[in-house]
Amino acid sequence: MIKIAVLGYGTVGSGAVKVLQTNRESIARRVGEELCVKYVLDLRDFPGDPVEEILVHDYKEILKDPEVRIVVETMGGVNPAYDFSKLALQAGKSVCTSNKELVAQHGVELMQIAKEKNVNYMFEASCGGGIPIIRAMNEALTADVIDEVSGILNGTTNYILTKMTLEGSEFGDALAEAQKNGYAERNPEADIEGYDACRKIAILSSVAYGSHVDFTDVYTEGITKIKAADIRYAAAMGKVIKLLAFSRKDGNAVSARVTPALIGPDDPLYAVNDVFNAVLVHGNMLGDAMFYGSGAGSLPTASAVVADVVACAKNPGRNVAVPGTGETLEIVPFEETESRFFVRVSGNPAERLDGIKALFGEVETVAADGTEDDFGFVTGLIEERVFAEKIAGLDGVLNRIRVM
Ligand code: HSE
């Protein structure tokens, strides 16, 4: 019997315990041995919950127990999860995590320790919740060179933007509803400012390209400035607004960003709604493949963590990580990348279009129902730096959103 410890009995940790209990038999059949949760670590007590019997408050109890071969880290946050993970690996225990902050910040070091100790540091659940995207890239798409990864990687913001699109609501109201329904944290900053998606695209890019992408190099904009009016203009263009995480490797040049983007029905990500996530991978032989599913939530995320536990259990004493190049990739400065922009400005085209064309050349104008005091236009492809300079010289800019 393989003994496991779960660190953190929150949404994902309690889900992991449930998955291991509910699917005990089928998991045992797959591993060839039973898996058993010996400890759950949490600062809190859970009176009346069966977990009480295996609950500990002192991590040392887990660390010093040689029977514990796999540690599930579902604490979230960098500290103390970093110390606990490092100590577990150094003690020869594999670690499976859903913690994207920790993986994005210290994943390279933790994977290196795992390799030295012939154990594993696995993080399938850190990106895309239950979508098995990391294993797909590492174990299935092995005939390809992956040159692009993009996706909708944050369930909270996708829920908010879907609400705004379907109900015409403003951002603040949609956020309040997301919080009321348990889809957004009380402090939703990491989601709505795009930081969560930023860490996820950095992790996915690192896996896809086999070299480290540092999340602090990824340009990130959230969705807080999106107005109901922008959504109406998007609809008038037959498009929707999504928080799009994107990265592309072209030779040695990698560009990566998280921004709101207008996408049309020809884009497979167009129909990804509510809390769902999707990851679109482009391989040089395969072309496009999209992976779609529950991007958050207790059991979907726990399902991915436990799949990692199964992989660790099947490989005792063997590090199965795909070797990387050991390099950190340089990201093309964001100002040097190009985009098309939708710009919403006050006034009307008759009065303003000449001035706009003098700045941006030919543009497409956009009108939307119920908007008399403003209008929109779409630029051609333009370098970010040039766009920023030009837009600074234009009065009455209400918003600007990149167009895919
Ligand atoms: N807050 C995250 C989201 C949870 O909304 O996608 C899953 O990482």
Side-chain angles (χ1 to χ4, degrees):
M1 185 176 288
I2 297 172
K3 302 279 169 69
I4 297 161
V6 176
L7 313 185
Y9 196 61
T11 308
V12 184
S14 60
V17 172
K18 188 163 181 191
V19 169
L20 283 159
Q21 278 166 354
T22 309
N23 293 342
R24 191 167 50 87
E25 281 174 28
S26 71
I27 290 171
R29 182 166 47 77
R30 287 185 158 95
V31 175
E33 207 174 335
E34 253 195 64
L35 304 186
C36 156
V37 180
K38 184 168 183 183
Y39 303 102
V40 168
L41 178 82
D42 206 289
L43 289 173
R44 299 163 294 178
D45 288 309
F46 297 94
D49 188 314
V51 80
E52 265 192 313
E53 287 172 24
I54 51 170
L55 191 69
V56 293
H57 299 304
D58 183 357
Y59 183 50
K60 284 194 212 89
E61 273 194 64
I62 293 169
L63 207 54
K64 71 179 188 211
D65 186 339
E67 271 198 341
V68 174
R69 303 219 318 250
I70 303 167
V71 170
V72 168
E73 186 273 297
T74 48
M75 307 172 77
V78 173
N79 287 308
Y82 169 62
D83 289 337
F84 286 7
S85 301
K86 198 168 167 174
L87 288 166
L89 294 167
Q90 285 167 337
K93 304 175 195 301
S94 286
V95 176
C96 305
T97 185
S98 58
N99 187 338
K100 57 247 167 173
E101 288 135 292
L102 181 58
V103 176
Q105 204 157 314
H106 295 292
V108 173
E109 182 197 352
L110 295 171
M111 285 175 79
Q112 183 57 34
I113 298 170
K115 193 173 170 202
E116 285 159 15
K117 293 288 176 182
N118 285 323
V119 291
N120 288 286
Y121 183 65
M122 293 194 172
F123 46 89
E124 179 65 74
S126 65
C127 299
I131 303 172
I133 180 61
I134 291 174
R135 191 154 288 113
M137 288 199 284
N138 277 339
E139 292 180 20
L141 301 177
T142 48
D144 272 69
V145 173
I146 298 173
D147 49 25
E148 195 173 305
V149 185
S150 59
I152 293 171
L153 301 179
N154 183 267
T156 304
T157 46
N158 206 37
Y159 177 88
I160 292 171
L161 290 171
T162 304
K163 279 269 155 214
M164 290 175 75
T165 303
L166 297 181
E167 295 173 11
S169 43
E170 287 294 354
F171 170 77
D173 297 329
L175 170 61
E177 195 172 332
Q179 285 173 314
K180 198 176 89 191
N181 292 329
Y183 292 132
E185 310 274 344
R186 198 168 295 213
N187 178 0
E189 190 190 9
D191 293 316
I192 62 179
E193 297 294 355
Y195 308 147
D196 177 79
C198 164
R199 290 179 173 101
K200 290 170 176 168
I201 195 69
I203 296 168
L204 291 178
S205 304
S206 302
V207 173
Y209 309 142
S211 299
H212 180 56
V213 170
D214 188 329
F215 74 98
T216 60
D217 292 337
V218 178
Y219 177 84
T220 300
E221 268 180 34
I223 64 163
T224 56
K225 294 185 183 133
I226 304 293
K227 303 277 187 237
D230 298 315
I231 305 261
R232 285 201 294 277
Y233 277 95
M237 289 185 265
K239 294 180 186 286
V240 289
I241 300 175
K242 297 288 184 191
L243 183 64
L244 188 74
F246 175 85
S247 90
R248 176 181 291 149
K249 186 166 187 285
D250 195 358
N252 284 331
V254 174
S255 42
R257 62 172 186 250
V258 174
T259 66
L262 284 150
I263 62 176
D266 50 341
D267 189 317
L269 297 171
Y270 175 87
V272 177
N273 285 323
D274 296 315
V275 285
F276 284 95
N277 280 194
V279 186
L280 190 58
V281 175
H282 185 270
N284 64 343
M285 300 292 129
L286 167 78
D288 284 332
M290 188 164 95
F291 300 81
Y292 170 88
S294 299
S298 175
L299 293 177
T301 311
S303 157
V305 183
V306 174
D308 279 349
V309 171
V310 169
C312 291
K314 286 171 79 172
N315 290 284
R318 195 162 82 92
N319 179 267
V320 294
V322 177
T325 63
E327 295 166 54
T328 293
L329 287 168
E330 261 191 44
I331 305 293
V332 176
F334 184 68
E335 314 80 69
E336 292 172 19
T337 62
E338 288 186 330
S339 283
R340 287 169 71 217
F341 286 85
F342 161 74
V343 184
R344 186 162 61 85
V345 288
S346 57
N348 61 68
E351 288 166 5
R352 302 210 51 189
L353 207 49
D354 286 347
I356 288 168
K357 283 184 177 170
L359 271 174
F360 292 99
E362 275 308 313
V363 294
E364 292 165 39
T365 55
V366 191
D369 287 344
T371 47
E372 283 157 19
D373 303 331
D374 61 13
F375 70 101
F377 66 89
V378 178
T379 70
L381 262 185
I382 182 167
E383 200 177 85
E384 291 281 345
R385 186 200 320 268
V386 176
F387 176 80
E389 283 162 13
K390 288 182 187 286
I391 207 79
L394 192 67
D395 290 334
V397 174
L398 302 170
N399 210 350
R400 83 278 184 286
I401 303 167
R402 292 165 188 85
V403 182
M404 292 306 285

